[in-house]
Amino acid sequence: MRFFKKDYGPAWALFLSAIALMVYVLVEYNFTVFVRVSMNGIVLGLTYLLVALGLALMWGVMHLLNFAHGQFFMMGAFSVWYFMVRVDVLTKYLPIVPAYLISLVLAMVIVGMMGTLVERYLFRRFGGDLLPALLISLGLGLILAQAMILAFGLLTKSIPTAFAGSQRFFGVSLTNERLALVISALVLLVALWWLVSHTKFGRAMVAIREDQTAAALQGIDIGKFRLIVMFIGSALAAVAGGLYGPVFQVTPEMGTGPMATAFAIIVLGGLGSLPGAGIAAFFLGFVESFGATFLGATIAQFFTFAVIILVLIFKPTGLFGHGGH
Amino acid sequence: MQQIKRLYHNNSIGLMVVPLLIFPIFAGGNPYLMFTGILALYTIGVTLTLRLKLSSYLLDIAGHLAWVGMGAYFSSALQVHLGWPFWVNLIAVPPIVGLISVLVAMPAIRTQGVYLAIVAIAFADIVVLFFGNMFTGVFGGHGGLYALPGVNNLGPISFGKDDHVAYYFLLVGIMAFIVYILRRIDRSRIGLSFRSVREQADLSEAVGLNVYWTKVLNWGISCSLAGLLGVFFAAYLRAFNPDEFSSAAGFFLMAYIIIGGRGHLLGPALGVVLFVVMRESLRSLELWQSLFWGVIMIIFIMFIPDGIYGLIKRGWEWGIAFRARQAAAPVPAPAAVAASTTPPPSERVGPSSG
């Protein structure tokens, strides 16, 4: 019965209003429109969720608001573009699907290593101090975006799609690359869920989130954990960028929009709460898709911000958060 | 001489008047220098009002410019459509902005820390969307407002397009007002309660301070002062668009405060001056600018956490201590120096290290 606690009122309100929106679309338009809007919302929601989960993990373990996370996302897309287009070794000797997958893995490793380096040499010395780490990540974000412009120029890049063609679901066509985005995001999410809930690693992570000192006293190596979590978070951002790149465009500013949404998601869901992030991501993805189809992008944005403010006013710690910071 | 030194030591804000008055004497004929200086001074003002919010841990990390924008838009709309002169707006608009900010803060202050930051960012984005999309006849839509009337002439003083010096002294007057208010707050019971809310919210509540209304009051004062600067901003530039007040631009205010130094009112000013000097001297290297700025941010936060002001203060104190040590140290005889390479511990401690 814990899902009916009074604390979860705003979460239920969001959930029910999302259902109401769906019913409205079903009644007012038709099933095809409904499926198209929902599928679009799912694609957006999953992308945002991959970005937001990295942020939520980082907040949970090291109380870090990483404003360079959007640039990690962008770096992921740039790495995939670099290995697929700029360096034509992979695409020359391999079919395009394995080449794409290998460059995705390379992007994850590169950006993940970058994340660990940044954690070790920039963020660690500030511990839980919020503002300095926040400003360092802002500066880092400026540097990364500018470095990409200086290295590869201002022109918009595009990654060739590895999955041509499309599938039809309920009379709506969904391109294979979006399908690949959904499937790979789901695989990653299941892997992450398994890691957090079924392994010793995940239990240790929860322990650190609850009480860092007590966790350290039980023999958990906090420093090592911070590095691993930073690796996982950055790699998630990178793979989100690599999956998002072929569907949309690759530019040095591509990270700012998803990062802003991801911040809204983790705060809306309650900082450090992974299920909260999940619900918030799908709600915002759906609102964006629904709004862009029926209301225009501006009103959809307006609506998104209004929802964030309202939820935080009625539950100041986010949907599933406890304790203010 | 001694008196001047003491003045400088006790009242470094007051002595800032001297460079402010000297600036137009050598820059008065140069519109580019005056323009840069006026915008820098305006930015210093906005940063100072943000610093007030931070004094009771209202982490408005990126949304503060929205209140400046509100002041700018309201005063322009009143001036263009209702024909209110600038001088009336200067007095009437800040209370309006303050009232709106209090109405916004009353529910929003329920959130704390990072959550409040996100609420403020969301609100700033709503404000930008509102001015960009609603009432386009009054607020000009996404293109913004342009060809605004500027400041009305005040008797013999004319505020034309090229009267930068007049605008400069108007801004100096506004800044003097803001700094006076901030100083008075800083040294009064209100300022003490602002700081106690930051340091020990529960304890302040326990000794009878209303934490909620203290925060709302802080928010209202800060936002209405920001609105006052917005009124000037609109009248000086005569053209602006909503994106200038977006949260993306607002992040930089935080950087000015941290880089300049959090401990003193002069800190943010030093941060802004560093940024403006750097931006203007690197005009030819447009592409490298934000790279440099990022590197400077990281270097300052990593190695100089108390900012430029802290650096200067430490240097000043080190200088005083050094001179005291030199004055106190006995002149050693050459034989004694030759006899012992390391000084005895009593000499190593020195008179001023305590």
Side-chain angles (χ1 to χ4, degrees):
Chain A
M1 290 308 283
R2 57 191 272 263
F3 288 108
F4 293 100
K5 278 200 309 198
K6 193 177 154 227
D7 257 11
Y8 292 153
W12 279 105
L14 263 198
F15 183 68
L16 291 178
S17 57
I19 300 268
L21 269 183
M22 286 178 171
V23 171
Y24 169 77
V25 174
L26 262 180
V27 172
E28 198 71 8
Y29 299 90
N30 52 37
F31 190 63
T32 324
V33 175
F34 169 72
V35 173
R36 192 188 303 139
V37 169
S38 323
M39 280 198 307
N40 218 345
I42 288 172
V43 169
L44 284 173
L46 280 173
T47 316
Y48 293 154
L49 187 54
L50 283 183
V51 182
L53 280 180
L55 282 176
L57 285 175
M58 286 177 202
W59 175 268
V61 172
M62 50 187 119
H63 278 212
L64 166 72
L65 280 187
N66 182 9
F67 274 89
H69 206 65
Q71 314 309 342
F72 288 173
F73 175 86
M74 181 270 296
M75 291 286 285
F78 263 86
S79 311
V80 171
W81 170 81
Y82 186 79
F83 291 120
M84 294 274 289
V85 180
R86 192 68 179 262
V87 183
D88 52 355
V89 180
L90 283 176
T91 38
K92 200 182 271 177
Y93 297 110
L94 285 171
I96 192 156
V97 176
Y100 180 61
L101 292 180
I102 288 176
S103 34
L104 263 186
V105 172
L106 283 175
M108 282 173 77
V109 172
I110 290 173
V111 178
M113 290 308 289
M114 208 174 69
T116 53
L117 284 180
V118 166
E119 205 289 313
R120 179 66 188 80
Y121 293 107
L122 293 184
F123 294 143
R124 177 168 294 182
R125 63 167 67 195
F126 297 110
D129 203 354
L130 191 71
L131 279 181
L134 188 151
L135 280 165
I136 281 206
S137 66
L138 270 178
L140 187 72
L142 284 179
I143 293 175
L144 287 179
Q146 205 61 31
M148 287 301 111
I149 293 178
L150 288 172
F152 302 119
L154 275 164
L155 285 179
T156 302
K157 280 96 190 154
S158 60
I159 300 172
T161 175
F163 307 97
S166 62
Q167 305 289 326
R168 291 191 80 77
F169 294 100
F170 307 105
V172 178
S173 76
L174 181 72
T175 55
N176 276 352
E177 52 186 1
R178 284 179 185 240
L179 196 63
L181 193 159
V182 170
I183 291 172
S184 9
L186 284 178
V187 167
L188 283 171
L189 287 183
V190 170
L192 189 68
W193 167 77
W194 183 80
L195 186 69
V196 172
S197 61
H198 280 71
T199 61
K200 213 171 170 181
F201 176 85
R203 299 187 71 80
M205 215 161 67
V206 173
I208 294 177
R209 197 177 69 196
E210 295 298 327
D211 190 338
Q212 195 155 340
T213 321
L217 284 174
Q218 298 300 317
I220 298 172
D221 186 347
I222 305 272
K224 200 177 79 185
F225 255 82
R226 290 173 64 118
L227 289 182
I228 295 174
V229 162
M230 196 72 191
F231 185 90
I232 294 176
S234 316
L236 280 177
V239 79
L243 291 168
Y244 186 88
V247 183
F248 298 91
Q249 285 170 331
V250 182
T251 62
E253 300 89 43
M254 67 185 285
T256 36
M259 185 179 65
T261 316
F263 269 108
I265 285 168
I266 61 164
V267 171
L268 198 55
L271 281 172
S273 158
L274 302 184
I279 288 183
F282 278 101
F283 184 77
L284 291 190
F286 189 79
V287 163
E288 191 174 327
S289 146
F290 179 88
T293 316
F294 299 109
L295 304 170
T298 312
I299 299 181
Q301 265 180 308
F302 200 90
F303 190 60
T304 308
F305 295 134
V307 165
I308 293 167
I309 292 179
L310 281 179
V311 166
L312 288 183
I313 283 171
F314 284 107
K315 185 137 193 307
T317 50
L319 294 177
F320 296 106
H322 27 244
H325 288 284
Chain B
M1 194 63 211
Q2 205 62 37
Q3 273 175 338
I4 293 176
K5 226 181 239 171
R6 198 176 305 134
L7 189 69
Y8 203 87
H9 213 74
N10 296 340
N11 199 0
S12 39
I13 298 275
L15 269 234
M16 280 309 286
V17 170
V18 177
L20 280 178
L21 292 182
I22 289 175
F23 179 72
I25 293 175
F26 77 89
N30 188 338
Y32 159 74
L33 264 184
M34 285 307 288
F35 183 79
T36 314
I38 289 175
L39 282 192
L41 198 56
Y42 149 81
T43 316
I44 290 173
V46 178
T47 318
L48 285 179
T49 57
L50 175 59
R51 186 176 170 275
L52 177 64
K53 275 185 191 171
L54 296 181
S55 76
S56 44
Y57 206 62
L58 299 167
L59 275 186
D60 193 353
I61 52 176
H64 190 61
L65 278 178
W67 304 101
V68 181
M70 230 178 247
Y73 267 103
F74 286 164
S75 83
S76 314
L78 287 172
Q79 208 173 0
V80 172
H81 292 275
L82 297 184
W84 290 22
F86 169 84
W87 303 101
V88 176
N89 287 339
L90 198 60
I91 297 163
V93 168
I96 300 175
V97 176
L99 188 68
I100 295 174
S101 75
V102 166
L103 289 180
V104 169
M106 275 163 63
I109 292 293
R110 278 167 51 84
T111 59
Q112 284 178 4
V114 182
Y115 294 93
L116 179 63
I118 298 285
V119 168
I121 291 176
F123 182 77
D125 287 335
I126 283 186
V127 168
V128 169
L129 282 174
F130 177 84
F131 285 130
N133 296 286
M134 309 283 195
F135 303 110
T136 44
V138 183
F139 296 129
H142 254 295
L145 292 167
Y146 48 89
L148 295 168
V151 177
N152 304 67
N153 292 348
L154 188 73
I157 313 166
S158 86
F159 286 91
K161 264 201 172 60
D162 302 318
D163 294 329
H164 293 285
V165 178
Y167 276 102
Y168 179 81
F169 281 108
L170 171 62
L171 181 57
V172 168
I174 292 175
M175 285 290 293
F177 174 70
I178 288 175
V179 169
Y180 173 73
I181 292 212
L182 291 180
R183 280 294 259 202
R184 283 301 295 268
I185 288 175
D186 219 29
R187 291 173 169 182
S188 69
R189 193 173 173 281
I190 304 177
L192 212 59
S193 63
F194 286 170
R195 288 194 294 277
S196 74
V197 163
R198 178 187 62 193
E199 299 293 343
Q200 290 282 342
D202 293 339
L203 186 63
S204 325
E205 189 84 62
V207 297
L209 187 71
N210 193 328
V211 170
Y212 174 79
W213 283 108
T214 308
K215 286 183 176 177
V216 172
L217 178 69
N218 183 332
W219 186 275
I221 294 174
S222 169
C223 292
S224 54
L225 290 180
L228 178 66
L229 283 160
V231 176
F232 174 83
F233 182 77
Y236 178 60
L237 282 190
R238 293 158 194 258
F240 54 89
N241 60 353
D243 287 336
E244 290 182 39
F245 309 114
S246 67
S247 53
F251 275 119
F252 277 93
L253 297 180
M254 226 34 233
Y256 301 148
I257 293 182
I258 301 285
I259 289 175
R262 271 181 282 188
H264 195 267
L265 272 179
L266 274 180
L270 292 169
V272 172
V273 169
L274 174 77
F275 176 71
V276 169
V277 167
M278 205 196 76
R279 188 187 63 199
E280 298 303 321
S281 54
L282 291 179
R283 270 262 176 255
S284 53
L285 297 169
E286 198 84 54
L287 271 178
W288 291 84
Q289 252 183 36
S290 64
L291 197 74
F292 274 128
W293 188 231
V295 171
I296 283 190
M297 263 164 84
I298 290 184
I299 287 177
F300 261 93
I301 293 160
M302 297 281 290
F303 303 113
I304 317 172
D306 48 357
I308 307 173
Y309 182 79
L311 196 67
I312 293 175
K313 198 175 162 196
R314 268 186 289 158
W316 184 264
E317 279 163 5
W318 183 84
I320 291 174
F322 182 75
R323 243 181 298 152
R325 207 178 304 142
Q326 277 210 328
V331 182
V337 174
S340 66
T341 43
T342 52
S346 61
E347 259 179 58
R348 223 184 297 153
V349 170
S352 63
S353 66

